[in-house]
Amino acid sequence: MTSTHETLEDLGWKDWFSDQISGEEARFCHPVRVMAVHRGQIAVAGAGSRGSIASHIPGAGPADDHPTVGDWLLIDGRTSQPSRVLQRLNLFKRRAPGDRRKEQMIAANVDTVFITASCNQDFSVARLERYLVMAREVGVRPVVVLTKIDLTDTPEAFATAVRAIEPGLLVETVNGRDPASVARLACWCGKGETVALLGSSGVGKSTLVNTLRGSDSIATQEIRAGDDTGRHTTTAREMHRLRDGGWLLDTPGMRELQLSEAATGIDEVFDDFVLVAQDCRFSNCAHGTEPGCAIRAAIATGALTVVRFDRWRLLAAEESANDAQLMKRRPR
Ligand SMILES: Nc1nc2c(ncn2[C@@H]2O[C@H](COP(=O)(O)OP(=O)(O)OP(=O)(O)O)[C@@H](O)[C@H]2O)c(=O)[nH]1
Ligand SMILES: [Mg+2]
Ligand SMILES: [Zn+2]
């Protein structure tokens, strides 16, 4: 353990967490925040100290919460071991790549998410929409950050395409290597605030963290010439402190973002479709060839677009298939 000048408030502590601690627990335990997760070990920070502990919680079963980055843990002062994960404000997770029945935790207790994408041929509205569904599902404020504007003549065209996903969506366009350009992102990174960076590999997440911190301590890497695909430079999820006291939670780029348990998020991002579907004659209308389908009618008049209709059906079908797989695994 090394000592610091950080208070719990500096680390993002909120009443939500203190309200969960009983008087008895408060006598023996103290909270720490998970700063990074490595193999078997986690880096933690508490009031006035930082250190590394085993991530295993003694006595925890497979159904119990395992700590992930951003979590608050209670440490039992008598054993110096973690006793439990405090209930989260929110949790980003996805279906684990490679195992349909498992979920992978990404980040907990986030205030804002920077959904990051770059202005090049890799740009995809459908992919951003997935991240947005995820943010709406967990109730975290999304800001879409479009990077590499120095490499395009038409950054506004990219921004316009993103704004069309949802009215009022916050979109920022930046050159991630330029401190003056990323300065406008600082307003979401105030003292004690946690901002998670999500997006594909190579879009410039770690570059944003470095530039906002005014340092180059995090490894970034040139993307391969030709295909603009990143190389998964960042391998661990880790929180980085800004000079003004905010926290940037850098994550490894995701190749595949499969949604599970995200029906609410899908309904929010496609709320215009949900509203119109209420006028379908049949409540279980699949919006195919049924008579009296309000969705088909709205597409015919141009009030709704067929491209978004297709994305909506695709996400909804994928989501329910993934949920069914998860349910198979869960004990009742
Ligand atoms: N021209 C330009 N290059 C950028 C910009 N942002 C990032 N880069 C470059 O893009 C490459 C990839 O950036 P990283 O920050 O490593 O990307 P990442 O999203 O962290 O990638 P992973 O860690 O693999 O998920 C690096 O060579 C950066 O210097 C930008 O706004 N403009
Ligand atoms: Mg990175
Ligand atoms: Zn219908």
Side-chain angles (χ1 to χ4, degrees), residues 147-151 174-177 199-208 219-223 230-235 250-254:
T147 60
K148 310 196 185 184
I149 55 168
D150 53 310
L151 301 181
V174 299
N175 172 352
R177 296 177 178 176
S200 304
S201 186
V203 296
K205 299 178 296 296
S206 301
T207 303
L208 282 174
T220 62
Q221 196 176 193
E222 206 68 51
I223 50 184
R231 291 170 159 180
H232 294 271
T233 307
T234 304
T235 53
D250 194 12
T251 67
M254 291 188 251

PDB file of all heavy atoms in Angstrom, residues 147-151 174-177 199-208 219-223 230-235 250-254, ligand 1:
ATOM      1  N   THR A 147     -13.355  10.969 -33.690  1.00  0.00           N
ATOM      2  CA  THR A 147     -11.940  11.336 -33.718  1.00  0.00           C
ATOM      3  C   THR A 147     -11.428  11.423 -35.160  1.00  0.00           C
ATOM      4  O   THR A 147     -12.150  11.117 -36.103  1.00  0.00           O
ATOM      5  CB  THR A 147     -11.110  10.278 -32.981  1.00  0.00           C
ATOM      6  OG1 THR A 147     -11.296   9.027 -33.647  1.00  0.00           O
ATOM      7  CG2 THR A 147     -11.534  10.145 -31.532  1.00  0.00           C
ATOM      8  N   LYS A 148     -10.180  11.836 -35.278  1.00  0.00           N
ATOM      9  CA  LYS A 148      -9.452  11.878 -36.562  1.00  0.00           C
ATOM     10  C   LYS A 148     -10.086  12.820 -37.569  1.00  0.00           C
ATOM     11  O   LYS A 148     -10.068  12.543 -38.780  1.00  0.00           O
ATOM     12  CB  LYS A 148      -9.285  10.453 -37.129  1.00  0.00           C
ATOM     13  CG  LYS A 148      -8.723   9.467 -36.083  1.00  0.00           C
ATOM     14  CD  LYS A 148      -8.193   8.191 -36.665  1.00  0.00           C
ATOM     15  CE  LYS A 148      -7.777   7.241 -35.532  1.00  0.00           C
ATOM     16  NZ  LYS A 148      -7.159   5.997 -35.995  1.00  0.00           N
ATOM     17  N   ILE A 149     -10.644  13.937 -37.078  1.00  0.00           N
ATOM     18  CA  ILE A 149     -11.230  14.905 -38.021  1.00  0.00           C
ATOM     19  C   ILE A 149     -10.151  15.536 -38.900  1.00  0.00           C
ATOM     20  O   ILE A 149     -10.455  16.071 -39.959  1.00  0.00           O
ATOM     21  CB  ILE A 149     -12.020  16.035 -37.297  1.00  0.00           C
ATOM     22  CG1 ILE A 149     -11.147  16.740 -36.259  1.00  0.00           C
ATOM     23  CG2 ILE A 149     -13.292  15.500 -36.679  1.00  0.00           C
ATOM     24  CD1 ILE A 149     -11.771  18.015 -35.741  1.00  0.00           C
ATOM     25  N   ASP A 150      -8.882  15.436 -38.440  1.00  0.00           N
ATOM     26  CA  ASP A 150      -7.789  15.977 -39.261  1.00  0.00           C
ATOM     27  C   ASP A 150      -7.550  15.125 -40.510  1.00  0.00           C
ATOM     28  O   ASP A 150      -6.829  15.540 -41.405  1.00  0.00           O
ATOM     29  CB  ASP A 150      -6.502  16.063 -38.420  1.00  0.00           C
ATOM     30  CG  ASP A 150      -6.162  14.730 -37.749  1.00  0.00           C
ATOM     31  OD1 ASP A 150      -7.054  14.142 -37.100  1.00  0.00           O
ATOM     32  OD2 ASP A 150      -5.012  14.273 -37.885  1.00  0.00           O
ATOM     33  N   LEU A 151      -8.140  13.951 -40.554  1.00  0.00           N
ATOM     34  CA  LEU A 151      -7.915  13.071 -41.705  1.00  0.00           C
ATOM     35  C   LEU A 151      -9.080  13.092 -42.704  1.00  0.00           C
ATOM     36  O   LEU A 151      -9.119  12.307 -43.643  1.00  0.00           O
ATOM     37  CB  LEU A 151      -7.667  11.628 -41.236  1.00  0.00           C
ATOM     38  CG  LEU A 151      -6.472  11.413 -40.293  1.00  0.00           C
ATOM     39  CD1 LEU A 151      -6.323   9.939 -39.936  1.00  0.00           C
ATOM     40  CD2 LEU A 151      -5.184  11.945 -40.922  1.00  0.00           C
ATOM     41  N   VAL A 174     -13.397  15.677 -32.829  1.00  0.00           N
ATOM     42  CA  VAL A 174     -12.088  16.120 -32.317  1.00  0.00           C
ATOM     43  C   VAL A 174     -10.925  15.527 -33.115  1.00  0.00           C
ATOM     44  O   VAL A 174     -11.048  14.499 -33.768  1.00  0.00           O
ATOM     45  CB  VAL A 174     -11.877  15.695 -30.831  1.00  0.00           C
ATOM     46  CG1 VAL A 174     -12.928  16.300 -29.926  1.00  0.00           C
ATOM     47  CG2 VAL A 174     -11.859  14.180 -30.681  1.00  0.00           C
ATOM     48  N   ASN A 175      -9.803  16.212 -32.995  1.00  0.00           N
ATOM     49  CA  ASN A 175      -8.515  15.619 -33.347  1.00  0.00           C
ATOM     50  C   ASN A 175      -7.934  15.174 -32.011  1.00  0.00           C
ATOM     51  O   ASN A 175      -7.545  16.000 -31.193  1.00  0.00           O
ATOM     52  CB  ASN A 175      -7.619  16.660 -34.022  1.00  0.00           C
ATOM     53  CG  ASN A 175      -6.204  16.148 -34.235  1.00  0.00           C
ATOM     54  OD1 ASN A 175      -5.829  15.075 -33.751  1.00  0.00           O
ATOM     55  ND2 ASN A 175      -5.415  16.914 -34.966  1.00  0.00           N
ATOM     56  N   GLY A 176      -7.909  13.877 -31.799  1.00  0.00           N
ATOM     57  CA  GLY A 176      -7.519  13.336 -30.497  1.00  0.00           C
ATOM     58  C   GLY A 176      -6.099  13.652 -30.084  1.00  0.00           C
ATOM     59  O   GLY A 176      -5.761  13.542 -28.901  1.00  0.00           O
ATOM     60  N   ARG A 177      -5.271  14.060 -31.032  1.00  0.00           N
ATOM     61  CA  ARG A 177      -3.878  14.364 -30.679  1.00  0.00           C
ATOM     62  C   ARG A 177      -3.682  15.821 -30.320  1.00  0.00           C
ATOM     63  O   ARG A 177      -2.586  16.223 -29.933  1.00  0.00           O
ATOM     64  CB  ARG A 177      -2.980  14.028 -31.869  1.00  0.00           C
ATOM     65  CG  ARG A 177      -2.949  12.564 -32.228  1.00  0.00           C
ATOM     66  CD  ARG A 177      -2.089  12.437 -33.455  1.00  0.00           C
ATOM     67  NE  ARG A 177      -1.941  11.054 -33.871  1.00  0.00           N
ATOM     68  CZ  ARG A 177      -1.287  10.705 -34.973  1.00  0.00           C
ATOM     69  NH1 ARG A 177      -0.722  11.613 -35.726  1.00  0.00           N
ATOM     70  NH2 ARG A 177      -1.195   9.445 -35.303  1.00  0.00           N
ATOM     71  N   GLY A 199     -15.367   1.722 -27.690  1.00  0.00           N
ATOM     72  CA  GLY A 199     -15.291   1.840 -29.144  1.00  0.00           C
ATOM     73  C   GLY A 199     -14.324   0.823 -29.707  1.00  0.00           C
ATOM     74  O   GLY A 199     -13.590   0.166 -28.965  1.00  0.00           O
ATOM     75  N   SER A 200     -14.302   0.718 -31.018  1.00  0.00           N
ATOM     76  CA  SER A 200     -13.449  -0.275 -31.683  1.00  0.00           C
ATOM     77  C   SER A 200     -11.975   0.014 -31.447  1.00  0.00           C
ATOM     78  O   SER A 200     -11.599   1.125 -31.078  1.00  0.00           O
ATOM     79  CB  SER A 200     -13.706  -0.260 -33.189  1.00  0.00           C
ATOM     80  OG  SER A 200     -15.056  -0.480 -33.455  1.00  0.00           O
ATOM     81  N   SER A 201     -11.158  -0.983 -31.701  1.00  0.00           N
ATOM     82  CA  SER A 201      -9.720  -0.831 -31.562  1.00  0.00           C
ATOM     83  C   SER A 201      -9.189   0.142 -32.617  1.00  0.00           C
ATOM     84  O   SER A 201      -9.611   0.102 -33.767  1.00  0.00           O
ATOM     85  CB  SER A 201      -9.064  -2.197 -31.736  1.00  0.00           C
ATOM     86  OG  SER A 201      -7.694  -2.112 -31.477  1.00  0.00           O
ATOM     87  N   GLY A 202      -8.300   1.025 -32.192  1.00  0.00           N
ATOM     88  CA  GLY A 202      -7.657   1.933 -33.137  1.00  0.00           C
ATOM     89  C   GLY A 202      -8.382   3.245 -33.372  1.00  0.00           C
ATOM     90  O   GLY A 202      -7.903   4.092 -34.126  1.00  0.00           O
ATOM     91  N   VAL A 203      -9.529   3.449 -32.726  1.00  0.00           N
ATOM     92  CA  VAL A 203     -10.265   4.696 -32.956  1.00  0.00           C
ATOM     93  C   VAL A 203      -9.649   5.871 -32.195  1.00  0.00           C
ATOM     94  O   VAL A 203      -9.939   7.033 -32.481  1.00  0.00           O
ATOM     95  CB  VAL A 203     -11.765   4.583 -32.594  1.00  0.00           C
ATOM     96  CG1 VAL A 203     -12.462   3.570 -33.490  1.00  0.00           C
ATOM     97  CG2 VAL A 203     -11.974   4.244 -31.128  1.00  0.00           C
ATOM     98  N   GLY A 204      -8.779   5.575 -31.227  1.00  0.00           N
ATOM     99  CA  GLY A 204      -8.080   6.649 -30.526  1.00  0.00           C
ATOM    100  C   GLY A 204      -8.529   6.882 -29.094  1.00  0.00           C
ATOM    101  O   GLY A 204      -8.411   7.996 -28.580  1.00  0.00           O
ATOM    102  N   LYS A 205      -8.999   5.847 -28.414  1.00  0.00           N
ATOM    103  CA  LYS A 205      -9.449   5.998 -27.028  1.00  0.00           C
ATOM    104  C   LYS A 205      -8.285   6.363 -26.107  1.00  0.00           C
ATOM    105  O   LYS A 205      -8.355   7.315 -25.335  1.00  0.00           O
ATOM    106  CB  LYS A 205     -10.135   4.709 -26.529  1.00  0.00           C
ATOM    107  CG  LYS A 205     -11.370   4.323 -27.330  1.00  0.00           C
ATOM    108  CD  LYS A 205     -11.989   3.025 -26.850  1.00  0.00           C
ATOM    109  CE  LYS A 205     -11.087   1.829 -27.025  1.00  0.00           C
ATOM    110  NZ  LYS A 205     -10.776   1.523 -28.431  1.00  0.00           N
ATOM    111  N   SER A 206      -7.202   5.572 -26.190  1.00  0.00           N
ATOM    112  CA  SER A 206      -6.061   5.833 -25.319  1.00  0.00           C
ATOM    113  C   SER A 206      -5.399   7.165 -25.672  1.00  0.00           C
ATOM    114  O   SER A 206      -4.893   7.874 -24.788  1.00  0.00           O
ATOM    115  CB  SER A 206      -5.034   4.707 -25.427  1.00  0.00           C
ATOM    116  OG  SER A 206      -5.636   3.480 -25.068  1.00  0.00           O
ATOM    117  N   THR A 207      -5.439   7.518 -26.957  1.00  0.00           N
ATOM    118  CA  THR A 207      -4.895   8.812 -27.378  1.00  0.00           C
ATOM    119  C   THR A 207      -5.658   9.954 -26.701  1.00  0.00           C
ATOM    120  O   THR A 207      -5.061  10.920 -26.221  1.00  0.00           O
ATOM    121  CB  THR A 207      -4.987   8.939 -28.917  1.00  0.00           C
ATOM    122  OG1 THR A 207      -4.283   7.845 -29.502  1.00  0.00           O
ATOM    123  CG2 THR A 207      -4.408  10.260 -29.401  1.00  0.00           C
ATOM    124  N   LEU A 208      -6.992   9.823 -26.627  1.00  0.00           N
ATOM    125  CA  LEU A 208      -7.807  10.843 -25.950  1.00  0.00           C
ATOM    126  C   LEU A 208      -7.412  10.953 -24.480  1.00  0.00           C
ATOM    127  O   LEU A 208      -7.307  12.053 -23.936  1.00  0.00           O
ATOM    128  CB  LEU A 208      -9.295  10.485 -26.031  1.00  0.00           C
ATOM    129  CG  LEU A 208     -10.028  10.759 -27.338  1.00  0.00           C
ATOM    130  CD1 LEU A 208     -11.446  10.204 -27.258  1.00  0.00           C
ATOM    131  CD2 LEU A 208     -10.057  12.259 -27.620  1.00  0.00           C
ATOM    132  N   ALA A 219       0.240   3.473 -23.735  1.00  0.00           N
ATOM    133  CA  ALA A 219       0.669   3.044 -25.063  1.00  0.00           C
ATOM    134  C   ALA A 219      -0.450   3.220 -26.079  1.00  0.00           C
ATOM    135  O   ALA A 219      -1.603   2.868 -25.820  1.00  0.00           O
ATOM    136  CB  ALA A 219       1.108   1.589 -25.010  1.00  0.00           C
ATOM    137  N   THR A 220      -0.118   3.795 -27.222  1.00  0.00           N
ATOM    138  CA  THR A 220      -1.047   3.856 -28.350  1.00  0.00           C
ATOM    139  C   THR A 220      -0.277   3.294 -29.532  1.00  0.00           C
ATOM    140  O   THR A 220       0.927   3.164 -29.473  1.00  0.00           O
ATOM    141  CB  THR A 220      -1.481   5.298 -28.672  1.00  0.00           C
ATOM    142  OG1 THR A 220      -0.325   6.053 -29.036  1.00  0.00           O
ATOM    143  CG2 THR A 220      -2.166   5.948 -27.490  1.00  0.00           C
ATOM    144  N   GLN A 221      -0.974   2.954 -30.586  1.00  0.00           N
ATOM    145  CA  GLN A 221      -0.251   2.346 -31.695  1.00  0.00           C
ATOM    146  C   GLN A 221      -0.853   2.713 -33.026  1.00  0.00           C
ATOM    147  O   GLN A 221      -2.065   2.759 -33.184  1.00  0.00           O
ATOM    148  CB  GLN A 221      -0.267   0.824 -31.510  1.00  0.00           C
ATOM    149  CG  GLN A 221       0.750   0.130 -32.352  1.00  0.00           C
ATOM    150  CD  GLN A 221       0.773  -1.370 -32.067  1.00  0.00           C
ATOM    151  OE1 GLN A 221       1.681  -2.044 -32.474  1.00  0.00           O
ATOM    152  NE2 GLN A 221      -0.221  -1.877 -31.385  1.00  0.00           N
ATOM    153  N   GLU A 222       0.054   2.978 -33.936  1.00  0.00           N
ATOM    154  CA  GLU A 222      -0.311   3.238 -35.323  1.00  0.00           C
ATOM    155  C   GLU A 222      -1.175   2.083 -35.820  1.00  0.00           C
ATOM    156  O   GLU A 222      -0.890   0.927 -35.532  1.00  0.00           O
ATOM    157  CB  GLU A 222       0.975   3.301 -36.140  1.00  0.00           C
ATOM    158  CG  GLU A 222       0.901   4.134 -37.386  1.00  0.00           C
ATOM    159  CD  GLU A 222       0.752   5.617 -37.049  1.00  0.00           C
ATOM    160  OE1 GLU A 222       1.539   6.147 -36.255  1.00  0.00           O
ATOM    161  OE2 GLU A 222      -0.176   6.213 -37.601  1.00  0.00           O
ATOM    162  N   ILE A 223      -2.243   2.422 -36.535  1.00  0.00           N
ATOM    163  CA  ILE A 223      -3.059   1.353 -37.085  1.00  0.00           C
ATOM    164  C   ILE A 223      -2.413   0.835 -38.361  1.00  0.00           C
ATOM    165  O   ILE A 223      -1.646   1.547 -38.995  1.00  0.00           O
ATOM    166  CB  ILE A 223      -4.500   1.832 -37.344  1.00  0.00           C
ATOM    167  CG1 ILE A 223      -4.492   3.133 -38.137  1.00  0.00           C
ATOM    168  CG2 ILE A 223      -5.208   2.025 -36.024  1.00  0.00           C
ATOM    169  CD1 ILE A 223      -5.856   3.703 -38.349  1.00  0.00           C
ATOM    170  N   GLY A 230      -7.437  -1.312 -35.908  1.00  0.00           N
ATOM    171  CA  GLY A 230      -6.501  -1.197 -34.787  1.00  0.00           C
ATOM    172  C   GLY A 230      -5.912  -2.548 -34.432  1.00  0.00           C
ATOM    173  O   GLY A 230      -6.286  -3.571 -34.980  1.00  0.00           O
ATOM    174  N   ARG A 231      -4.987  -2.539 -33.495  1.00  0.00           N
ATOM    175  CA  ARG A 231      -4.292  -3.779 -33.153  1.00  0.00           C
ATOM    176  C   ARG A 231      -4.554  -4.219 -31.720  1.00  0.00           C
ATOM    177  O   ARG A 231      -3.796  -4.996 -31.176  1.00  0.00           O
ATOM    178  CB  ARG A 231      -2.793  -3.546 -33.288  1.00  0.00           C
ATOM    179  CG  ARG A 231      -2.357  -3.352 -34.700  1.00  0.00           C
ATOM    180  CD  ARG A 231      -0.935  -2.886 -34.668  1.00  0.00           C
ATOM    181  NE  ARG A 231      -0.277  -3.138 -35.934  1.00  0.00           N
ATOM    182  CZ  ARG A 231       0.971  -2.827 -36.153  1.00  0.00           C
ATOM    183  NH1 ARG A 231       1.701  -2.290 -35.190  1.00  0.00           N
ATOM    184  NH2 ARG A 231       1.522  -3.053 -37.307  1.00  0.00           N
ATOM    185  N   HIS A 232      -5.558  -3.703 -31.097  1.00  0.00           N
ATOM    186  CA  HIS A 232      -5.829  -4.031 -29.704  1.00  0.00           C
ATOM    187  C   HIS A 232      -4.609  -3.714 -28.832  1.00  0.00           C
ATOM    188  O   HIS A 232      -4.035  -4.578 -28.188  1.00  0.00           O
ATOM    189  CB  HIS A 232      -6.279  -5.492 -29.544  1.00  0.00           C
ATOM    190  CG  HIS A 232      -7.598  -5.723 -30.195  1.00  0.00           C
ATOM    191  ND1 HIS A 232      -8.781  -5.547 -29.538  1.00  0.00           N
ATOM    192  CD2 HIS A 232      -7.920  -6.040 -31.457  1.00  0.00           C
ATOM    193  CE1 HIS A 232      -9.779  -5.771 -30.379  1.00  0.00           C
ATOM    194  NE2 HIS A 232      -9.281  -6.066 -31.539  1.00  0.00           N
ATOM    195  N   THR A 233      -4.238  -2.459 -28.878  1.00  0.00           N
ATOM    196  CA  THR A 233      -3.073  -1.997 -28.138  1.00  0.00           C
ATOM    197  C   THR A 233      -3.335  -2.053 -26.633  1.00  0.00           C
ATOM    198  O   THR A 233      -2.519  -2.526 -25.862  1.00  0.00           O
ATOM    199  CB  THR A 233      -2.741  -0.556 -28.557  1.00  0.00           C
ATOM    200  OG1 THR A 233      -2.626  -0.536 -29.974  1.00  0.00           O
ATOM    201  CG2 THR A 233      -1.459  -0.084 -27.912  1.00  0.00           C
ATOM    202  N   THR A 234      -4.493  -1.545 -26.211  1.00  0.00           N
ATOM    203  CA  THR A 234      -4.856  -1.579 -24.800  1.00  0.00           C
ATOM    204  C   THR A 234      -5.388  -2.963 -24.479  1.00  0.00           C
ATOM    205  O   THR A 234      -6.239  -3.477 -25.201  1.00  0.00           O
ATOM    206  CB  THR A 234      -5.931  -0.519 -24.501  1.00  0.00           C
ATOM    207  OG1 THR A 234      -5.425   0.754 -24.916  1.00  0.00           O
ATOM    208  CG2 THR A 234      -6.277  -0.486 -23.027  1.00  0.00           C
ATOM    209  N   THR A 235      -4.865  -3.578 -23.410  1.00  0.00           N
ATOM    210  CA  THR A 235      -5.326  -4.924 -23.074  1.00  0.00           C
ATOM    211  C   THR A 235      -6.055  -4.984 -21.734  1.00  0.00           C
ATOM    212  O   THR A 235      -6.757  -5.945 -21.462  1.00  0.00           O
ATOM    213  CB  THR A 235      -4.143  -5.916 -23.042  1.00  0.00           C
ATOM    214  OG1 THR A 235      -3.151  -5.377 -22.182  1.00  0.00           O
ATOM    215  CG2 THR A 235      -3.563  -6.129 -24.434  1.00  0.00           C
ATOM    216  N   ASP A 250     -10.232   3.709 -19.492  1.00  0.00           N
ATOM    217  CA  ASP A 250      -9.838   3.233 -20.825  1.00  0.00           C
ATOM    218  C   ASP A 250     -10.126   1.736 -20.930  1.00  0.00           C
ATOM    219  O   ASP A 250      -9.958   1.002 -19.953  1.00  0.00           O
ATOM    220  CB  ASP A 250      -8.340   3.507 -21.043  1.00  0.00           C
ATOM    221  CG  ASP A 250      -7.920   3.373 -22.509  1.00  0.00           C
ATOM    222  OD1 ASP A 250      -8.810   3.303 -23.381  1.00  0.00           O
ATOM    223  OD2 ASP A 250      -6.696   3.344 -22.767  1.00  0.00           O
ATOM    224  N   THR A 251     -10.584   1.313 -22.097  1.00  0.00           N
ATOM    225  CA  THR A 251     -10.906  -0.106 -22.294  1.00  0.00           C
ATOM    226  C   THR A 251     -10.280  -0.593 -23.603  1.00  0.00           C
ATOM    227  O   THR A 251     -10.009   0.207 -24.496  1.00  0.00           O
ATOM    228  CB  THR A 251     -12.437  -0.339 -22.377  1.00  0.00           C
ATOM    229  OG1 THR A 251     -12.938   0.282 -23.567  1.00  0.00           O
ATOM    230  CG2 THR A 251     -13.152   0.211 -21.163  1.00  0.00           C
ATOM    231  N   PRO A 252     -10.057  -1.893 -23.715  1.00  0.00           N
ATOM    232  CA  PRO A 252      -9.569  -2.438 -24.986  1.00  0.00           C
ATOM    233  C   PRO A 252     -10.670  -2.351 -26.035  1.00  0.00           C
ATOM    234  O   PRO A 252     -11.842  -2.526 -25.704  1.00  0.00           O
ATOM    235  CB  PRO A 252      -9.260  -3.904 -24.661  1.00  0.00           C
ATOM    236  CG  PRO A 252      -9.356  -4.037 -23.178  1.00  0.00           C
ATOM    237  CD  PRO A 252     -10.242  -2.947 -22.706  1.00  0.00           C
ATOM    238  N   GLY A 253     -10.306  -2.094 -27.275  1.00  0.00           N
ATOM    239  CA  GLY A 253     -11.297  -2.020 -28.346  1.00  0.00           C
ATOM    240  C   GLY A 253     -12.063  -3.316 -28.477  1.00  0.00           C
ATOM    241  O   GLY A 253     -11.536  -4.393 -28.232  1.00  0.00           O
ATOM    242  N   MET A 254     -13.346  -3.203 -28.838  1.00  0.00           N
ATOM    243  CA  MET A 254     -14.170  -4.405 -28.966  1.00  0.00           C
ATOM    244  C   MET A 254     -14.402  -4.686 -30.435  1.00  0.00           C
ATOM    245  O   MET A 254     -14.795  -3.817 -31.188  1.00  0.00           O
ATOM    246  CB  MET A 254     -15.506  -4.189 -28.268  1.00  0.00           C
ATOM    247  CG  MET A 254     -15.362  -4.117 -26.764  1.00  0.00           C
ATOM    248  SD  MET A 254     -16.957  -4.105 -25.985  1.00  0.00           S
ATOM    249  CE  MET A 254     -17.008  -2.429 -25.400  1.00  0.00           C
TER     250      MET A 254
HETATM  251  N1  LIG B   1      -4.547  11.708 -37.212  1.00  0.00           N
HETATM  252  C1  LIG B   1      -5.071  11.295 -36.064  1.00  0.00           C
HETATM  253  N2  LIG B   1      -4.614  10.172 -35.493  1.00  0.00           N
HETATM  254  C2  LIG B   1      -5.174   9.760 -34.336  1.00  0.00           C
HETATM  255  C3  LIG B   1      -6.218  10.483 -33.718  1.00  0.00           C
HETATM  256  N3  LIG B   1      -6.583   9.835 -32.578  1.00  0.00           N
HETATM  257  C4  LIG B   1      -5.776   8.740 -32.501  1.00  0.00           C
HETATM  258  N4  LIG B   1      -4.928   8.702 -33.557  1.00  0.00           N
HETATM  259  C5  LIG B   1      -3.929   7.645 -33.841  1.00  0.00           C
HETATM  260  O1  LIG B   1      -4.614   6.417 -34.026  1.00  0.00           O
HETATM  261  C6  LIG B   1      -3.810   5.324 -33.576  1.00  0.00           C
HETATM  262  C7  LIG B   1      -4.619   4.446 -32.620  1.00  0.00           C
HETATM  263  O2  LIG B   1      -4.889   5.167 -31.429  1.00  0.00           O
HETATM  264  P1  LIG B   1      -5.087   4.469 -29.999  1.00  0.00           P
HETATM  265  O3  LIG B   1      -5.311   5.580 -29.035  1.00  0.00           O
HETATM  266  O4  LIG B   1      -4.003   3.501 -29.712  1.00  0.00           O
HETATM  267  O5  LIG B   1      -6.454   3.675 -30.241  1.00  0.00           O
HETATM  268  P2  LIG B   1      -7.317   2.861 -29.162  1.00  0.00           P
HETATM  269  O6  LIG B   1      -8.762   3.191 -29.436  1.00  0.00           O
HETATM  270  O7  LIG B   1      -6.844   3.108 -27.788  1.00  0.00           O
HETATM  271  O8  LIG B   1      -7.050   1.346 -29.604  1.00  0.00           O
HETATM  272  P3  LIG B   1      -7.104   0.001 -28.675  1.00  0.00           P
HETATM  273  O9  LIG B   1      -6.303   0.251 -27.459  1.00  0.00           O
HETATM  274  O10 LIG B   1      -6.529  -1.061 -29.554  1.00  0.00           O
HETATM  275  O11 LIG B   1      -8.560  -0.249 -28.389  1.00  0.00           O
HETATM  276  C8  LIG B   1      -2.559   5.950 -32.954  1.00  0.00           C
HETATM  277  O12 LIG B   1      -1.525   5.908 -33.896  1.00  0.00           O
HETATM  278  C9  LIG B   1      -2.987   7.388 -32.686  1.00  0.00           C
HETATM  279  O13 LIG B   1      -1.888   8.295 -32.706  1.00  0.00           O
HETATM  280  C10 LIG B   1      -6.698  11.681 -34.360  1.00  0.00           C
HETATM  281  O14 LIG B   1      -7.642  12.357 -33.915  1.00  0.00           O
HETATM  282  N5  LIG B   1      -6.080  12.032 -35.520  1.00  0.00           N
END
